[in-house]
Amino acid sequence: MTVRNRRARFSVNAAFAVQGLCFASLVTRVPQVQDAHRLSDGALALVLLLVPVIAGVGSVVAGSLFARFGSGPVLRVAQPGVCAAMTLVGLTGGNLLPLYVAVALFGVSVGAVDAGMNAQAVSAERRYGMSLLTGFYAVWSVAGILGGLWVALANKLDLGLLPGFAVPAALGAIISLATGPRLFRKDEEGTGPSAEQLKAAAKHVPWRPVLIVGIAMGVFYLADSVVSSYSAKFLEDELGASDFAAPLGYVAYQIAMVASRAAADLGVRRYGGALVVRLGGIVGLAGMIGVVAAPNAAAAIAAFAVAGLGLSVVAPVAFSAAGQVDPTGLGVAVARLNVFNYVGFVLGAAIAGALAPAGMRPVFLVPALLVVVVIALANGFAPRPVDTGAAARGGAGPATAPASPEADPGPSRTGVPPGA
């Protein structure tokens, strides 16, 4: 690999790291944000729901800019925007209007960054000629673990919102500004399939197998959104955890996800995707039930780890299954599947917001029960491959920028722009 490719790949890793750090640093401090702004559970739910909704808009807008400017310049503007917005959340004091403005800025910037860093990751895969996305998302998770540990320390030191957010935001902005100029340029990203190609290809990609794994993946992201946004609040409000311990549920969840995904590929190759997802669903169900039934914070943190260990396999195996039923190679099935990422996260925020006034245990009970759907649909993760000749007869051209079937948009809590 050329020096240029190595430098660009390093910059893409840096973008994923900054995103994971900032996301974790914000969501694990939700209880402190609620207290500082004297938000009711309903108002907090609205704030949390704003993020994925507005981020969806930011992702679509960013995607529309890629054809003209490339994903690199968009990412270089949006990622410092995430850092700035997170700092603004700490500056808004008890005023709700500035808080909503800061959250809206955070959402639109997060959506643009999600779209940009995924586009850069696909460019890196294309230029290297091998799968790299799993590694990028591992970097995101590791940075998220560090963000959660930082919040635990900040809470232990009784730091206010502003310094607690400013430190990771400043670090993220410095890294982003330093590495951004080395991202892939527009002329290095290649050309994706045309609208005509996608329209023709869509006719040859069946909806049913995508719908089956999509529903299961939507359930995963619903559970994931609840864990991300409410795990710290659950530990602190329901189980009386200290400010230091409250972020550790999210940290344990992420550590388990990294460990599980490191071994998941081996399991799929040896036993098949259906068995891996079924077992993962059973383990994830046990973990979520353990969270609901946890008598104390230590038990809940352990249960969050078990949940992450099992549920983490759903998304990557889902994308692999989608690739098997896409005979065109143009990423049509993967684009369809991404919609369930976004839907799952929005539904998770809405359900949690509706149930939060009744207590935190009901908030986790609903996603726990829905994990049964993942187990029931596990056979769909071993679909019958679609005849590749169908696409050729339909006139769909070869992919110049195929979506990686192994890709797991784990950090893309907002989804990517809907495709065909």
Side-chain angles (χ1 to χ4, degrees):
M1 290 298 103
T2 65
V3 172
R4 168 65 188 137
N5 283 344
R6 287 197 297 270
R7 289 176 175 174
R9 180 181 175 183
F10 178 83
S11 294
V12 178
N13 272 306
F16 274 82
V18 171
Q19 187 78 328
L21 176 69
C22 291
F23 183 82
S25 297
L26 182 60
V27 298
T28 53
R29 258 203 151 183
V30 164
Q32 286 71 35
V33 172
Q34 183 178 18
D35 291 345
H37 294 86
R38 298 183 294 278
L39 298 173
S40 66
D41 286 340
L44 176 64
L46 178 60
V47 169
L48 295 176
L49 185 60
L50 276 176
V51 175
V53 172
I54 297 177
V57 176
S59 186
V60 172
V61 171
S64 69
L65 296 174
F66 291 169
R68 182 173 181 181
F69 302 106
S71 61
V74 175
L75 183 55
R76 290 174 63 185
V77 172
Q79 192 143 63
V82 170
C83 301
M86 186 169 68
T87 305
L88 289 177
V89 172
L91 278 170
T92 53
N95 299 318
L96 290 183
L97 181 59
L99 174 64
Y100 287 127
V101 172
V103 169
L105 176 59
F106 182 81
V108 73
S109 299
V110 162
V113 170
D114 279 349
M117 71 185 190
N118 278 288
Q120 286 282 313
V122 170
S123 296
E125 279 201 337
R126 184 187 305 112
R127 294 178 71 86
Y128 271 76
M130 61 182 183
S131 177
L132 297 174
L133 276 159
T134 301
F136 289 132
Y137 290 123
V139 169
W140 184 93
S141 293
V142 171
I145 293 167
L146 295 176
L149 291 174
W150 159 252
V151 170
L153 177 61
N155 290 343
K156 182 72 172 179
L157 299 175
D158 200 25
L159 294 181
L161 287 183
L162 180 57
F165 289 147
V167 171
L171 178 61
I174 291 171
I175 293 173
S176 180
L177 293 172
T179 60
R182 293 182 177 179
L183 291 166
F184 290 110
R185 300 184 301 270
K186 181 177 180 294
D187 62 309
E188 296 173 317
E189 292 189 74
T191 303
S194 66
E196 291 75 16
Q197 284 180 309
L198 288 175
K199 185 176 180 180
K203 299 177 182 178
H204 303 285
V205 178
W207 263 104
R208 186 175 183 277
V210 176
L211 185 63
I212 291 172
V213 298
I215 292 172
M217 195 177 78
V219 170
F220 160 67
Y221 277 109
L222 188 156
D224 184 71
S225 71
V226 173
V227 173
S228 299
S229 299
Y230 285 92
S231 59
K233 182 174 171 59
F234 173 71
L235 288 169
E236 189 170 317
D237 292 0
E238 192 75 29
L239 299 177
S242 66
D243 287 348
F244 173 78
L248 298 184
Y250 181 80
V251 171
Y253 177 74
Q254 285 293 338
I255 290 174
M257 291 186 83
V258 172
S260 179
R261 285 175 175 169
D265 284 341
L266 295 176
V268 171
R269 286 195 290 267
R270 175 169 293 187
Y271 303 108
L275 180 59
V276 168
V277 169
R278 184 174 294 108
L279 292 176
I282 293 171
V283 173
L285 176 61
M288 293 299 292
I289 291 176
V291 170
V292 176
N296 53 54
I301 291 171
F304 279 123
V306 173
L309 194 68
L311 295 179
S312 64
V313 303
V314 175
V317 183
F319 277 90
S320 179
Q324 295 176 45
V325 298
D326 187 345
T328 71
L330 294 178
V332 173
V334 169
R336 289 175 179 174
L337 196 59
N338 270 322
V339 175
F340 293 91
N341 173 348
Y342 175 75
V343 171
F345 196 84
V346 171
L347 286 177
I351 291 172
L355 296 176
M360 286 292 100
R361 291 188 193 272
V363 168
F364 287 91
L365 179 60
V366 171
L369 296 177
L370 288 175
V371 172
V372 175
V373 175
V374 175
I375 301 171
L377 297 178
N379 284 339
F381 286 77
R384 179 179 301 174
V386 176
D387 179 16
T388 56
R393 292 190 295 272
T400 56
S404 170
E406 300 87 357
D408 167 20
S412 183
R413 300 299 198 270
T414 58
V416 298

